[in-house]
Amino acid sequence: MTTLDQIDKERVPQHVAIIMDGNGRWAMKQQHERIFGHQNAFTAVRQAVEAAVQTGVKYLTLYTFSTENWNRPQAEVDGLMELLIKAVQEETKTLMDNNVRLSMIGDLQRIPERSRTMLEQCMAETAGNTAMTLVLALSYSSRWEIAEALKEICRQGLSPEAITEETLRQYLTTREYPDPDLLIRTGGEVRVSNFLLWQMAYTEFYFSEQLWPDFRHEDFYAAVAEYQSRQRRFGKTGAQVEAKKA
């Protein structure tokens, strides 16, 4: 029996977000350049997508490239953009086979035109898929997102009294998606790295020592199983949550 068999399909997180950390360290362990780790991350992405679909997750958001990542060595950035094109070319069939729709969030105007065109073509091809939405966070950071939302609110001329939490949510790049129920971070680090800060107010966190290129189906199932072992209270007492179930 696999961990998947032990998961309660009635209590699966609707939205899972993943910080895919550890590619560079994985490559250095293999005595290769950092880009080698990124090249070998595709298998983990494919397995995470397949596991999410098998589990019944409806939204999977992958922190693919942050706004801060533009500050990395130019050779690494250029390599990542080329890998992005390769990934889209190779993985579109996987998305179609799994009935997965591709979407993107972030400062996409900073993405090179060739890469952006390939991504937009994949989004168009998968637009009719309904099993799950895969969201790539590209050239994204939460502080950038919140600042852009506030700029747009100011442009709209809204009065301070008119602005609520829901108002701000409607100006975020994630307005089409529910907030993440579960965040998975690989690589042994225990921080959120400027990712979905507003949206993760009540997200459950799961930290894995596994370096991202080694992440597999079973690792995803283990995270979901751990999520299901927790009591989500959203500010209420445990007794109130249990009373509601009764």
Side-chain angles (χ1 to χ4, degrees), residues 54-74:
Q54 292 164 359
T55 306
V57 170
K58 300 304 294 181
Y59 299 89
L60 177 66
T61 299
L62 304 181
Y63 202 8
T64 309
F65 192 88
S66 73
T67 55
E68 289 83 6
N69 287 157
W70 291 112
N71 296 320
R72 290 188 175 187
Q74 192 61 47

Side-chain angles (χ1 to χ4, degrees), residues 130-148:
T130 57
M132 187 183 76
T133 297
L134 172 63
V135 183
L136 300 184
L138 280 165
S139 188
Y140 171 90
S141 75
S142 196
R143 289 181 175 180
W144 164 84
E145 177 186 36
I146 293 170
E148 290 300 307

Side-chain angles (χ1 to χ4, degrees), residues 229-243:
S229 73
R230 302 178 186 177
Q231 184 188 65
R232 304 190 73 197
R233 296 191 291 273
F234 299 97
K236 298 180 180 178
T237 67
Q240 285 177 303
V241 173
E242 291 303 316

Side-chain angles (χ1 to χ4, degrees), residues 25-44:
R25 283 173 286 155
W26 185 89
M28 288 186 283
K29 281 188 174 183
Q30 315 295 321
Q31 297 184 327
H32 285 281
E33 296 294 326
R34 290 176 54 86
I35 196 67
F36 183 72
H38 300 305
Q39 291 167 343
N40 283 273
F42 295 152
T43 299

Side-chain angles (χ1 to χ4, degrees), residues 12-16 179-183 202-204 227 232 234:
V12 170
Q14 183 181 23
H15 184 175
V16 176
D179 291 343
D181 300 295
L182 172 65
L183 169 73
Y202 281 101
T203 299
E204 297 293 326
Y227 164 87
R232 304 190 73 197
F234 299 97

Side-chain angles (χ1 to χ4, degrees), residues 49-108:
V49 170
E50 291 172 349
V53 171
Q54 292 164 359
T55 306
V57 170
K58 300 304 294 181
Y59 299 89
L60 177 66
T61 299
L62 304 181
Y63 202 8
T64 309
F65 192 88
S66 73
T67 55
E68 289 83 6
N69 287 157
W70 291 112
N71 296 320
R72 290 188 175 187
Q74 192 61 47
E76 182 175 350
V77 171
D78 292 343
L80 284 167
M81 291 300 109
E82 287 301 312
L83 285 174
L84 187 58
I85 294 172
K86 180 182 177 183
V88 172
Q89 291 173 328
E90 294 183 356
E91 300 304 324
T92 298
K93 183 178 184 302
T94 299
L95 298 180
M96 295 302 296
D97 289 345
N98 286 278
N99 194 21
V100 174
R101 177 174 73 103
L102 180 68
S103 186
M104 295 185 291
I105 58 173
D107 187 4
L108 303 179

Side-chain angles (χ1 to χ4, degrees), residues 6 117 131 158:
Q6 302 171 31
T117 298
L158 294 179

